[in-house]
Every structure is written in structure tokens, then in C-alpha cells.
Coordinates of all heavy atoms in Angstrom, one line a residue:
F1 N 15.8 9.3 51.3 CA 15.9 10.0 52.6 C 14.7 9.6 53.5 O 13.6 9.7 53.0 CB 16.1 11.5 52.4 CG 16.4 12.2 53.7 CD1 17.7 12.2 54.2 CD2 15.4 12.9 54.4 CE1 18.0 12.9 55.3 CE2 15.7 13.6 55.5 CZ 17.0 13.6 56.0
P2 N 15.0 9.3 54.7 CA 13.9 8.8 55.6 C 12.8 9.8 55.8 O 13.0 11.0 56.1 CB 14.6 8.5 56.9 CG 16.0 8.3 56.6 CD 16.3 9.2 55.4
K3 N 11.5 9.3 55.7 CA 10.4 10.2 55.9 C 10.3 10.9 57.2 O 10.0 12.0 57.4 CB 9.1 9.4 55.6 CG 7.8 10.3 55.7 CD 6.5 9.5 55.6 CE 6.4 8.8 54.2 NZ 5.0 8.2 54.1
D4 N 10.7 10.1 58.3 CA 10.6 10.7 59.6 C 11.6 11.9 59.8 O 11.2 12.9 60.5 CB 10.8 9.6 60.7 CG 12.2 9.0 60.6 OD1 12.8 8.9 59.5 OD2 12.8 8.6 61.7
K5 N 12.8 11.8 59.2 CA 13.7 12.9 59.4 C 13.3 14.0 58.5 O 13.6 15.2 58.8 CB 15.1 12.3 59.0 CG 15.6 11.4 60.1 CD 16.9 10.7 59.7 CE 17.3 9.6 60.8 NZ 18.4 8.8 60.4
L6 N 12.7 13.8 57.3 CA 12.1 14.8 56.5 C 11.1 15.6 57.3 O 11.1 16.8 57.4 CB 11.5 14.2 55.3 CG 10.6 15.1 54.4 CD1 11.4 16.3 53.9 CD2 9.9 14.3 53.3
R7 N 10.2 14.9 58.0 CA 9.1 15.5 58.8 C 9.7 16.3 59.9 O 9.2 17.4 60.2 CB 8.2 14.4 59.3 CG 7.2 13.9 58.3 CD 6.4 12.7 58.8 NE 5.3 12.4 57.9 CZ 4.6 11.3 58.0 NH1 4.8 10.5 59.1 NH2 3.7 11.0 57.2
Q8 N 10.7 15.7 60.7 CA 11.3 16.5 61.8 C 11.9 17.8 61.3 O 11.8 18.8 62.0 CB 12.3 15.6 62.5 CG 11.8 14.5 63.4 CD 12.9 13.7 64.0 OE1 13.3 12.7 63.4 NE2 13.5 14.2 65.1
T9 N 12.6 17.7 60.2 CA 13.2 18.9 59.7 C 12.2 20.0 59.3 O 12.3 21.2 59.5 CB 14.2 18.6 58.6 OG1 15.1 17.6 59.0 CG2 15.0 19.8 58.1
I10 N 11.2 19.5 58.6 CA 10.1 20.4 58.1 C 9.4 21.1 59.3 O 9.2 22.3 59.3 CB 9.1 19.7 57.2 CG1 9.7 19.3 55.9 CG2 7.8 20.6 57.0 CD1 8.8 18.5 55.0
L11 N 9.1 20.3 60.4 CA 8.5 20.9 61.5 C 9.4 22.0 62.2 O 8.9 23.0 62.6 CB 8.2 19.8 62.5 CG 7.0 18.9 62.1 CD1 6.9 17.7 63.1 CD2 5.7 19.6 62.0
F12 N 10.7 21.7 62.2 CA 11.6 22.8 62.8 C 11.6 24.0 61.9 O 11.5 25.1 62.5 CB 13.0 22.2 62.8 CG 14.0 23.1 63.4 CD1 14.3 23.2 64.8 CD2 14.8 24.0 62.6 CE1 15.2 24.1 65.3 CE2 15.7 24.9 63.1 CZ 15.9 24.9 64.4
V13 N 11.6 23.9 60.6 CA 11.6 25.0 59.7 C 10.2 25.8 59.8 O 10.2 27.0 59.9 CB 11.8 24.6 58.3 CG1 11.6 25.8 57.3 CG2 13.2 24.1 58.1
K14 N 9.1 25.1 59.9 CA 7.8 25.7 60.0 C 7.8 26.5 61.3 O 7.2 27.6 61.3 CB 6.7 24.7 60.0 CG 6.4 24.1 58.7 CD 5.3 23.0 58.8 CE 4.0 23.5 59.2 NZ 2.9 22.5 59.1
E15 N 8.2 25.9 62.4 CA 8.2 26.6 63.7 C 9.0 27.9 63.8 O 8.6 28.9 64.3 CB 8.6 25.6 64.8 CG 8.6 26.3 66.2 CD 9.0 25.3 67.3 OE1 9.3 24.1 67.0 OE2 9.2 25.8 68.4
H16 N 10.2 27.8 63.1 CA 11.1 28.9 63.3 C 11.2 29.9 62.1 O 11.6 31.1 62.3 CB 12.5 28.4 63.5 CG 12.6 27.6 64.8 ND1 12.4 26.3 65.0 CD2 13.0 28.1 66.1 CE1 12.6 25.9 66.2 NE2 12.9 27.0 66.9
Y17 N 10.8 29.5 60.9 CA 11.0 30.4 59.7 C 9.7 30.8 59.0 O 9.8 31.6 58.1 CB 12.0 29.6 58.8 CG 13.3 29.4 59.3 CD1 13.6 28.2 60.0 CD2 14.3 30.4 59.2 CE1 14.9 28.0 60.5 CE2 15.6 30.2 59.7 CZ 15.9 29.0 60.4 OH 17.1 28.8 60.9
G18 N 8.6 30.2 59.4 CA 7.4 30.5 58.7 C 7.4 30.0 57.3 O 8.0 29.0 57.0
V19 N 6.8 30.7 56.4 CA 6.6 30.3 55.0 C 7.0 31.3 54.0 O 6.7 32.5 54.2 CB 5.1 29.9 54.8 CG1 4.9 29.4 53.3 CG2 4.6 28.9 55.8
M20 N 7.6 30.9 52.9 CA 7.9 31.8 51.8 C 6.7 32.0 51.0 O 6.0 31.1 50.5 CB 9.0 31.1 50.9 CG 9.2 31.7 49.5 SD 10.1 33.3 49.6 CE 10.0 33.8 47.8
P21 N 6.2 33.3 50.8 CA 5.0 33.6 50.1 C 5.2 33.6 48.6 O 5.9 34.5 48.1 CB 4.6 34.9 50.7 CG 5.9 35.6 51.0 CD 6.8 34.5 51.5
F22 N 4.7 32.6 47.9 CA 4.6 32.7 46.5 C 3.4 31.8 46.0 O 2.9 31.0 46.8 CB 5.9 32.2 45.8 CG 6.2 30.7 46.1 CD1 5.9 29.7 45.2 CD2 6.9 30.3 47.3 CE1 6.2 28.4 45.4 CE2 7.2 29.0 47.5 CZ 6.8 28.0 46.6
N23 N 3.0 31.9 44.8 CA 1.9 31.2 44.3 C 2.2 30.4 43.0 O 3.3 30.5 42.5 CB 0.7 32.1 44.1 CG 1.0 33.2 43.1 OD1 1.4 32.9 42.0 ND2 0.8 34.4 43.5
C24 N 1.3 29.6 42.5 CA 1.6 28.7 41.4 C 1.9 29.5 40.1 O 2.6 29.0 39.2 CB 0.4 27.7 41.2 SG -1.1 28.5 40.8
K25 N 1.4 30.7 40.0 CA 1.7 31.5 38.9 C 3.2 31.9 38.8 O 3.7 32.3 37.7 CB 0.8 32.8 38.8 CG -0.7 32.5 38.7 CD -1.5 33.8 38.7 CE -3.0 33.4 38.6 NZ -3.8 34.7 38.6
Q26 N 3.9 31.8 39.9 CA 5.3 32.1 40.0 C 6.2 30.9 39.8 O 7.4 31.1 39.9 CB 5.6 32.9 41.3 CG 4.9 34.2 41.4 CD 5.0 34.8 42.7 OE1 4.5 34.2 43.7 NE2 5.5 36.0 42.8
Y27 N 5.6 29.7 39.7 CA 6.5 28.5 39.5 C 7.4 28.7 38.3 O 8.6 28.3 38.4 CB 5.6 27.3 39.2 CG 4.9 26.7 40.5 CD1 4.8 27.4 41.7 CD2 4.3 25.5 40.4 CE1 4.2 26.9 42.8 CE2 3.7 24.9 41.5 CZ 3.6 25.6 42.7 OH 3.0 25.1 43.8
E28 N 6.9 29.2 37.2 CA 7.7 29.3 36.0 C 8.9 30.2 36.2 O 10.0 29.9 35.8 CB 6.9 29.9 34.8 CG 7.5 29.8 33.5 CD 7.5 28.3 32.9 OE1 6.6 27.6 33.1 OE2 8.6 28.0 32.4
R29 N 8.7 31.3 37.0 CA 9.8 32.2 37.2 C 10.8 31.6 38.1 O 12.0 31.8 37.9 CB 9.2 33.5 37.8 CG 10.2 34.7 37.9 CD 10.6 35.1 36.5 NE 11.6 36.2 36.6 CZ 12.7 36.2 35.8 NH1 12.9 35.2 34.9 NH2 13.5 37.2 35.8
L30 N 10.4 30.9 39.1 CA 11.3 30.2 40.0 C 12.1 29.1 39.2 O 13.3 29.0 39.4 CB 10.5 29.5 41.2 CG 10.0 30.4 42.3 CD1 9.0 29.6 43.1 CD2 11.1 30.9 43.1
Y31 N 11.5 28.5 38.3 CA 12.2 27.5 37.5 C 13.2 28.2 36.6 O 14.4 27.7 36.5 CB 11.2 26.8 36.6 CG 11.8 25.8 35.6 CD1 12.3 24.6 36.0 CD2 11.8 26.1 34.2 CE1 12.9 23.7 35.1 CE2 12.4 25.2 33.3 CZ 12.9 24.0 33.8 OH 13.5 23.1 32.9
E32 N 12.9 29.4 36.1 CA 13.9 30.1 35.3 C 15.1 30.5 36.2 O 16.2 30.5 35.7 CB 13.2 31.4 34.7 CG 12.3 31.1 33.6 CD 13.0 30.3 32.4 OE1 14.1 30.7 32.0 OE2 12.4 29.3 31.9
F33 N 14.8 30.9 37.4 CA 15.9 31.3 38.3 C 16.8 30.1 38.6 O 18.0 30.2 38.6 CB 15.4 31.9 39.6 CG 15.0 33.3 39.5 CD1 13.7 33.7 39.9 CD2 15.8 34.3 39.0 CE1 13.3 35.0 39.9 CE2 15.4 35.6 38.9 CZ 14.1 36.0 39.4
M34 N 16.2 28.9 38.8 CA 17.0 27.7 39.0 C 17.8 27.3 37.8 O 19.0 26.8 37.9 CB 16.0 26.5 39.4 CG 15.4 26.6 40.7 SD 14.3 25.2 41.1 CE 13.0 26.0 42.0
K35 N 17.3 27.6 36.6 CA 18.1 27.3 35.4 C 19.4 28.1 35.3 O 20.3 27.8 34.7 CB 17.3 27.6 34.2 CG 16.2 26.5 33.9 CD 15.2 26.9 32.8 CE 15.9 27.1 31.5 NZ 15.0 27.5 30.4
H36 N 19.4 29.3 36.0 CA 20.6 30.1 36.0 C 21.6 29.8 37.1 O 22.6 30.5 37.3 CB 20.2 31.6 36.1 CG 19.6 32.2 34.8 ND1 18.3 32.1 34.5 CD2 20.3 32.8 33.8 CE1 18.1 32.7 33.3 NE2 19.3 33.1 32.9
D37 N 21.3 28.8 37.9 CA 22.1 28.5 39.1 C 23.5 28.1 38.6 O 23.7 27.4 37.6 CB 21.5 27.4 39.9 CG 22.2 27.2 41.2 OD1 23.2 26.5 41.3 OD2 21.7 27.8 42.2
K38 N 24.6 28.5 39.3 CA 25.9 28.3 38.9 C 26.3 26.8 38.9 O 27.3 26.4 38.3 CB 26.9 29.1 39.8 CG 26.7 30.6 39.7 CD 27.7 31.4 40.5 CE 27.4 31.2 42.0 NZ 26.1 31.7 42.4
K39 N 25.6 26.0 39.7 CA 26.0 24.6 39.8 C 25.5 23.8 38.6 O 25.8 22.6 38.4 CB 25.3 24.0 41.0 CG 25.8 24.7 42.3 CD 25.1 24.1 43.5 CE 23.7 24.4 43.6 NZ 23.4 25.8 43.7
N40 N 24.7 24.4 37.7 CA 24.2 23.6 36.5 C 25.3 23.4 35.5 O 26.3 24.1 35.4 CB 23.1 24.4 35.9 CG 21.9 24.6 36.8 OD1 21.8 23.9 37.8 ND2 21.1 25.6 36.5
S41 N 25.0 22.4 34.7 CA 25.9 22.1 33.5 C 25.1 21.7 32.4 O 24.1 20.9 32.5 CB 26.9 21.0 33.9 OG 26.3 19.8 34.2

């Protein structure tokens, strides 16, 4: 996916949505939640 379009989209999200607050100690928990996603097989 083109880097310029990635950057444009990120800038839009930063400007309008701010940031999700989490830290590196929560990576494992986020990974566990992703493992339960219904799209997985």
C-alpha cells in the first residue's frame, strides 16, 4: 500500500480522533483479544 496514502490517512485520524491510550505492557492483552476475533481460522 502506498506510503503517501498511508501518511494522508494517518494525519486525518490524528487530527480528528486523537490517540488510543495504551502501553507496551498491554500488547500481550491486545494480542489475546485479536486471537478471539471471529474472522480467525
Side-chain angles (χ1 to χ4, degrees):
F1 186 77
K3 184 187 290 188
D4 62 329
K5 292 172 184 175
L6 169 63
R7 286 175 169 168
Q8 282 179 268
T9 307
I10 290 174
L11 289 172
F12 181 87
V13 172
K14 284 177 68 173
E15 179 181 353
H16 293 89
Y17 296 90
V19 180
M20 166 74 183
F22 65 94
N23 58 55
C24 62
K25 295 179 180 179
Q26 295 169 303
Y27 283 15
E28 193 72 42
R29 192 64 181 136
L30 285 167
Y31 177 71
E32 288 300 314
F33 282 128
M34 289 180 216
K35 284 171 61 177
H36 284 89
D37 195 274
K38 296 182 292 299
K39 300 180 291 298
N40 298 339
S41 60

